[in-house]
Amino acid sequence: MGSVGVLLGFVGFGSVLLGVTWFWGQSGILDKKEVMGVAQEMAMDITQLLLAAQNPNAEIRIPAEASIKQFQEHSLPNYLLVLSHELSNNEKPPESRTMAGIQLKNSFDAKDASRKQQLVQQWVSIDGSVKSQIKVMLLGTLGSSLKEARHTSAQVIAKLASIEIPRKEWPDLIGSLLQNMSIPDSPDGLKQATLDTLGYVCEEISHEELEQGEVNAVLTAVVQGMSSAQRSADVRLSATKALYNALAFAQTNFENKTERDYLMKVACETATANEVEIRLAAFECLVAITSMYYAVLEPYMSSLYELTSNAVKGDEEPVALQAIEFWSSICDEEIELSDSFETHSHFIEKALLVLIAMLLETLLKQEEDQDLDDGTWNLSMAGGTCLSLVARTVGDPIIPLVMPFVQDNVMKQDWRCREAAINAFGLILEGPSIEKRSPCDQSGLDFLLNALKDENKHVKATTAWTLSRIFELLHSPGSTFTVITSNNLQKIVTALLEAIKDVPNVAEKVCGAIYFLVHGYEDAGSSSSLLNPFLPDIITSLLAAAERVDASDSKLRSTAYETLNEVVRCCNLPETGGIIQNLLHIIMTKLRQSLDRPIVSSSDREKQGDVHALLCGTLLVIIQKLSGSDETKSIILHVADQIMVLFLRIFGCRSSTVHEEAMLAIGALAYVTGTEFAKYMPELYKYLEMGLKNFEEYQVCSITVGVVGDVSRAMDENILTYCDGIMTLLLTDLASNELHRSVKPPIFSCFGDIALAIGPHFEKYLSHAIGMMQAASEACARMDTNDDEMIEYGNQLRRSIFEAYSGILQGFKGSKAELMIPHATHLFQFLEFVSKDKQRDEDVTKAALETLGDLADVLGQNITALCRDHPFFAGFVSEYLHCSDKQLQDVAAWTVGMLSKLQAPAN
């Protein structure tokens, strides 16, 4: 940024501002005709504009950015041509070329899916000759003398490839790139940029998009670039990174032993290169190979063990971390195969003795204060993660290999030895059988409780974490074995409540132990009452931990409240109702005091917002807990007005995080107050309106939609007064391209809630709602079934559409059911489409079955002809009459009952 400012100083601010003002116009905006007229002259000024757009002076930067944006919007082909020329021109300043590349990349790609699709369509619509010129310039830039220009061009080419290759519109791209590698005496810079491009292209496109011949040629170029005969380390590094991205394309090559041997040989040789970065990239390739091609690794495992072992013992930490990750990846594969009851090669079991020795050694390489930074990742942490995975992979055999290490080190003077021993014990708890673990756990529990008083904070923190693991995995009062009994519970609670007063990092881990201690008593029958006498002291200690002034830089406050919430969730009602009632008043008082506290800085406001969010979260849990029992529901009803006043005051603080938590709690309050909630709506409505309009913080919008549904169900017809405004906002949200797509499924579900609440009054909104629902159901059929995120989103959308139909149908039942007859055909078609979709999840299936039953229940004989014309439903329903999922079974049986009332057969 500084060099840009210096450059602008020499060329003169006047000339830059003149160009900016001239294009921006005296009034601030030029019409399209004017812009087209100056587009060519704009190309002459683009360098200065790109430089000005990086200026720290807002008076220069903002007009420049606006001018560039107008050029893009009104003359996109010229804009892309001009930027491509700027990027490719070696005579232009490096800063303007870099900015040109960034602008180009942003013209083809965006994080938001809808925006990205819009950019794709813009590119597709550009004249072919213009696109060819742009691509020629981009490919030419790979040979530029400026490294940054080469790198940026490689990224832009890959973004374009992701658009064009699936459409078969750049068939010669791979050939053009490979030609760069075959030119005699090709410059190293060109080779490096070409390999970068090949790697980026493989990262951007599906492995199905390239012909096998192209894949073979790419792999040949890549392994040649990785060769130790390659003089340039930069080329070797780019080639190795390219191999990483190309591995998904190499399935056929890995099925061929000769080709597989060669690829593994090159990867292993590269893992011993002189340069750290190259070794790191090679190990990343080996990790990826374990995930993709586990089944063919047997012949190479001896060499791979030697490679990884040497790296862990003596290489630079980044390389050693990847070497450990190799074994973690092997564990992941074998665990997944075992869980699926598939055979595997037992690589971990075969290497167990030497692997355990290597991993235990890493546990002794802790760093001082490593727990204070969430971003820390070192050998000790990586080795510990791998050790826990090994325990899950092999089970019982790990105990005799690890316990001697624990026993030898746990009493040593060096804190690292004590910490490593306790850590190792905690890491192997998941995997071995209870029969093998229980003797260690029973004898170790007393020792660990005493170790909470160790002189070293790292040892105490790890001890508390290990206790949380024991309580999570071995504390189950309803089972035949539990590590916590009525005999030792008081000793455990006493030790934990004393340790929670320790330094913040230790206290945070103790909160985790209390969390799992309490969690174990959830649904534990009569055993649950064992914890009741200790609840007041536990709650008091957690509240004190959350208030500690020395915990501002740690996660102690949030962890303490998270644990407090778990105490509330898991306690028994009605016997603990008085304890929770007391906590309710404490939390309300804290919230009131925080709202009354003066705010003098932005830091104060941020801290206040964090506290409000935590307090609202606890209020939510308390409301849900107390309203779940008839004996304690009155506690909430008695203070509902006071709670609502606090929530309304919170909305005035305008913090999005608090807004979310308060909205969720309001939804719970609506559930418990029912139709009485109507008295709060005059004040609440404006905040619901604000939430539904909040496109920028879309999570707030999504939660608000859910609360509107909660409130509608609670108020029934009393919500009618507000429905015009609510439905207008919901329909506007659905029609918006700016709103994040994740908000849209909840809106359809909300339609169902509103329709069910107001019944026949939904008629006035029916045509608008049905139009949106039908458009969304048609969009489901066009979704990319190869994209996991889109599959998940499609399932959410399908389920919510069915929920909307069910709500509307039941709302109209007995009064205006005939209004749905014209829409039944489209709904049947949608049901048939979903019934054939193999990627639907169980929630979608359940919603579809319910909607089918609602159709039969509400429309009756009116759909007999539809049933005859769409016989799919008989097989669809019967498939789930005897499935393993009891809930699906029940829904299917109910649906059969509804269908059996029709003349058409339902079996």
Side-chain angles (χ1 to χ4, degrees):
M1 191 65 76
S3 61
V4 176
V6 171
L7 180 62
L8 286 174
F10 279 107
V11 301
F13 284 104
S15 60
V16 176
L17 278 175
L18 179 63
V20 171
T21 306
W22 167 74
F23 182 72
W24 183 237
Q26 297 301 318
S27 63
I29 298 177
L30 296 176
D31 63 30
K32 186 173 181 180
K33 185 176 180 181
E34 289 175 300
V35 173
M36 291 296 290
V38 300
Q40 188 166 356
E41 193 164 355
M42 179 69 185
M44 299 169 60
D45 291 324
I46 194 67
T47 301
Q48 300 303 325
L49 280 171
L50 291 169
L51 294 173
Q54 302 172 71
N55 196 290
N57 186 337
E59 292 183 1
I60 295 175
R61 185 182 67 255
I62 293 174
E65 290 172 342
S67 297
I68 291 170
K69 186 176 181 180
Q70 278 201 335
F71 187 19
Q72 178 186 22
E73 290 175 350
H74 295 300
S75 184
L76 182 62
N78 285 330
Y79 171 79
L80 297 176
L81 277 169
V82 167
L83 289 178
S84 300
H85 181 265
E86 185 79 14
L87 177 62
S88 66
N89 192 337
N90 284 324
E91 296 180 1
K92 295 290 186 177
E95 295 85 358
S96 70
R97 297 178 70 186
T98 301
M99 178 58 78
I102 292 171
Q103 296 289 336
L104 275 172
K105 190 167 63 171
N106 291 341
S107 298
F108 305 129
D109 190 40
K111 290 182 180 179
D112 181 73
S114 59
R115 173 61 179 160
K116 182 172 182 177
Q117 188 58 35
Q118 182 183 0
L119 294 175
V120 169
Q121 292 306 316
Q122 287 178 352
W123 170 256
V124 169
S125 65
I126 291 175
D127 183 76
S129 62
V130 174
K131 290 195 283 190
S132 295
Q133 293 178 62
I134 292 169
K135 290 187 282 190
V136 166
M137 284 188 279
L138 289 172
L139 287 169
T141 309
L142 295 178
S144 171
S145 58
L146 182 66
K147 182 177 180 179
E148 290 79 4
R150 298 196 301 268
H151 178 74
T152 304
S153 185
Q155 293 178 313
V156 176
I157 289 169
K159 294 299 180 185
L160 278 181
S162 71
I163 300 172
E164 297 228 324
I165 287 181
R167 302 171 66 90
K168 311 297 182 185
E169 292 179 353
W170 203 349
D172 58 346
L173 171 61
I174 300 299
S176 299
L177 292 171
L178 294 173
Q179 191 173 4
N180 290 343
M181 301 298 295
S182 61
I183 298 173
D185 300 321
S186 177
D188 288 341
L190 177 60
K191 288 182 179 178
Q192 182 189 5
T194 299
L195 289 164
D196 285 342
T197 307
L198 287 168
Y200 295 149
V201 169
C202 289
E203 187 178 19
E204 290 288 339
I205 66 175
S206 165
H207 64 89
E208 300 170 348
E209 305 291 353
L210 295 184
E211 300 292 336
Q212 188 57 44
E214 291 177 310
V215 173
N216 294 340
V218 168
L219 290 174
T220 299
V222 166
V223 296
Q224 286 175 352
M226 292 172 66
S227 169
S228 56
Q230 173 58 244
R231 293 168 299 174
S232 168
D234 287 340
V235 172
R236 283 193 82 186
L237 178 60
S238 291
T240 308
K241 289 182 175 180
L243 176 63
Y244 178 87
N245 288 321
L247 284 171
F249 295 75
Q251 183 172 351
T252 299
N253 307 87
F254 267 85
E255 291 170 355
N256 182 301
K257 183 180 184 303
T258 303
E259 295 181 23
R260 181 174 68 244
D261 286 347
Y262 186 63
L263 286 168
M264 291 299 296
K265 175 176 177 292
V266 171
C268 290
E269 287 177 351
T270 309
T272 62
N274 293 328
E275 296 80 7
V276 173
E277 281 191 323
I278 295 176
R279 295 200 301 275
L280 175 61
F283 271 105
E284 288 173 344
C285 288
L286 292 173
V287 171
I289 288 169
T290 64
S291 297
M292 296 180 192
Y293 305 111
Y294 169 90
V296 297
L297 288 181
E298 179 79 52
Y300 317 105
M301 287 305 295
S302 177
S303 298
L304 289 168
Y305 173 76
E306 185 178 356
L307 265 179
T308 54
S309 179
N310 291 338
V312 172
K313 291 174 182 176
D315 211 325
E316 299 290 333
E317 186 174 70
V319 181
L321 290 173
Q322 280 301 310
I324 294 174
E325 182 63 24
F326 171 87
W327 289 102
S328 293
S329 184
I330 292 285
C331 288
D332 286 335
E333 292 302 310
E334 296 195 347
I335 290 169
E336 184 176 347
L337 290 167
S338 294
D339 289 346
S340 304
F341 302 102
E342 297 179 45
T343 58
H344 58 77
S345 300
H346 300 278
F347 293 140
I348 298 299
E349 190 176 329
K350 293 172 183 175
L352 191 60
L353 191 63
V354 287
L355 183 58
I356 292 297
M358 179 181 76
L359 294 175
L360 290 174
E361 191 66 27
T362 67
L363 297 186
L364 294 164
K365 297 182 178 180
Q366 311 96 319
E367 296 175 5
E368 289 279 1
D369 299 326
Q370 66 182 24
D371 294 335
L372 300 182
D373 183 1
D374 287 342
T376 298
W377 186 248
N378 55 35
L379 276 180
S380 174
M381 292 175 165
T385 299
C386 189
L387 182 62
S388 68
L389 288 169
V390 171
R392 290 176 56 199
T393 305
V394 301
D396 291 350
I398 199 171
I399 288 182
L401 296 178
V402 172
M403 286 309 296
F405 174 87
V406 174
Q407 293 158 354
D408 290 347
N409 286 278
V410 77
M411 299 299 292
K412 286 187 176 178
Q413 193 68 26
D414 187 345
W415 73 264
R416 283 185 166 82
C417 295
R418 299 198 305 277
E419 194 276 341
I422 295 172
N423 192 19
F425 181 73
L427 289 165
I428 63 169
L429 288 173
E430 186 178 6
S433 62
I434 288 180
E435 291 75 22
K436 286 288 184 181
R437 287 180 303 185
S438 56
C440 305
D441 300 329
Q442 291 285 16
S443 61
L445 185 57
D446 286 343
F447 177 85
L448 290 170
L449 293 175
N450 289 325
L452 286 172
K453 302 173 185 176
D454 193 280
E455 62 187 27
N456 182 273
K457 63 183 180 181
H458 297 295
V459 175
K460 289 185 284 190
T462 299
T463 299
W465 172 82
T466 300
L467 284 168
S468 73
R469 292 274 291 174
I470 290 174
F471 299 158
E472 178 186 5
L473 298 168
L474 298 165
H475 168 38
S476 180
S479 68
T480 54
F481 173 81
T482 179
V483 74
I484 301 177
T485 66
S486 58
N487 296 326
N488 62 13
L489 178 58
Q490 182 168 359
K491 182 196 299 185
I492 292 169
V493 172
T494 301
L496 293 175
L497 297 190
E498 185 61 32
I500 203 173
K501 302 171 187 174
D502 213 310
V503 296
N505 187 52
V506 175
E508 180 195 326
K509 299 296 190 298
V510 173
C511 286
I514 295 173
Y515 180 100
F516 287 111
L517 168 69
V518 172
H519 182 77
Y521 286 105
E522 184 179 24
D523 300 325
S526 58
S527 298
S528 298
S529 60
L530 292 174
L531 196 62
N532 291 354
F534 305 103
L535 288 180
D537 288 342
I538 290 173
I539 289 172
T540 300
S541 296
L542 289 170
L543 289 170
E547 293 295 321
R548 285 173 53 165
V549 295
D550 62 344
S552 57
D553 295 330
S554 73
K555 296 188 296 183
L556 177 55
R557 176 182 282 124
S558 61
T559 306
Y561 272 107
E562 183 182 351
T563 304
L564 185 62
N565 294 345
E566 191 65 12
V567 171
V568 175
R569 286 192 195 97
C570 297
C571 68
N572 268 353
L573 291 180
E575 56 261 41
T576 60
I579 297 173
I580 305 305
Q581 181 179 15
N582 185 52
L583 176 61
L584 170 62
H585 290 299
I586 292 173
I587 297 299
M588 289 173 63
T589 299
K590 285 181 177 293
L591 190 51
R592 193 177 296 111
Q593 290 171 343
S594 180
L595 285 163
D596 291 339
R597 195 170 294 130
I599 300 297
V600 296
S601 67
S602 59
S603 175
D604 285 347
R605 185 168 298 283
E606 184 179 351
K607 290 177 182 176
Q608 184 196 55
D610 292 341
V611 171
H612 287 177
L614 293 169
L615 292 170
C616 285
T618 301
L619 277 177
L620 165 63
V621 176
I622 292 173
I623 293 169
Q624 290 173 329
K625 185 68 177 183
L626 293 178
S627 63
S629 168
D630 291 337
E631 293 95 329
T632 55
K633 184 177 179 180
S634 60
I635 296 174
I636 296 297
L637 293 174
H638 184 68
V639 294
D641 291 355
Q642 299 172 51
I643 294 174
M644 197 65 197
V645 167
L646 290 172
F647 288 151
L648 292 172
R649 288 185 65 187
I650 282 172
F651 288 139
C653 298
R654 303 300 295 272
S655 166
S656 63
T657 304
V658 183
H659 196 135
E660 292 179 41
E661 296 294 338
M663 274 292 177
L664 288 169
I666 283 173
L669 190 63
Y671 172 79
V672 68
T673 55
T675 56
E676 290 296 312
F677 192 84
K679 63 184 176 182
Y680 307 127
M681 278 300 285
E683 283 297 317
L684 178 63
Y685 180 74
K686 61 185 175 185
Y687 297 111
L688 294 176
E689 193 174 53
M690 286 166 53
L692 294 176
K693 290 179 178 178
N694 194 343
F695 288 10
E696 186 173 347
E697 295 165 327
Y698 66 87
Q699 297 93 336
V700 173
C701 186
S702 182
I703 287 172
T704 306
V705 170
V707 170
V708 168
D710 294 337
V711 170
S712 299
R713 290 194 300 273
M715 291 176 59
D716 289 330
E717 286 195 355
N718 293 322
I719 194 68
L720 189 58
T721 306
Y722 305 93
C723 278
D724 283 358
I726 288 172
M727 286 299 297
T728 299
L729 289 168
L730 293 176
L731 290 166
T732 301
D733 287 354
L734 280 176
S736 171
N737 290 324
E738 297 176 25
L739 183 60
H740 196 275
R741 71 185 185 198
S742 64
V743 184
K744 301 193 175 183
I747 292 175
F748 287 117
S749 299
C750 192
F751 283 171
D753 292 330
I754 293 171
L756 202 54
I758 64 176
H761 299 290
F762 195 78
E763 179 182 1
K764 67 187 295 187
Y765 313 115
L766 181 62
S767 62
H768 302 288
I770 286 287
M772 289 291 190
M773 291 156 59
Q774 291 181 350
S777 64
E778 290 163 7
C780 289
R782 300 191 298 270
M783 286 184 178
D784 183 358
T785 55
N786 295 314
D787 185 328
D788 289 342
E789 285 188 12
M790 289 306 294
I791 291 171
E792 182 180 357
Y793 176 67
N795 278 325
Q796 293 170 356
L797 196 57
R798 290 174 174 89
R799 184 181 70 248
S800 66
I801 293 169
F802 285 133
E803 288 171 351
Y805 273 117
S806 286
I808 294 170
L809 283 163
Q810 289 299 329
F812 284 160
K813 182 180 178 181
S815 56
K816 295 194 174 181
E818 70 279 358
L819 294 175
M820 290 300 292
I821 294 174
H823 309 293
T825 300
H826 193 281
L827 177 52
F828 249 87
Q829 291 169 348
F830 183 48
L831 282 163
E832 184 168 10
F833 163 73
V834 171
S835 74
K836 296 175 181 177
D837 179 13
K838 302 302 181 185
Q839 294 177 319
R840 70 177 187 274
D841 61 26
E842 288 186 356
D843 288 337
V844 174
T845 300
K846 179 174 173 289
L849 289 169
E850 288 173 340
T851 303
L852 183 58
D854 287 329
L855 260 176
D857 180 33
V858 176
L859 298 188
Q861 300 301 322
N862 291 297
I863 63 165
T864 302
L866 281 173
C867 291
R868 187 170 55 250
D869 296 340
H870 298 272
F872 76 91
F873 72 89
F876 176 51
V877 177
S878 62
E879 180 182 349
Y880 295 98
L881 283 173
H882 306 290
C883 69
S884 58
D885 188 312
K886 181 65 166 59
Q887 196 175 31
L888 270 178
Q889 261 190 47
D890 292 343
V891 173
W894 174 80
T895 302
V896 167
M898 293 299 103
L899 290 167
S900 66
K901 297 177 182 179
L902 307 180
Q903 292 180 357
N907 48 18

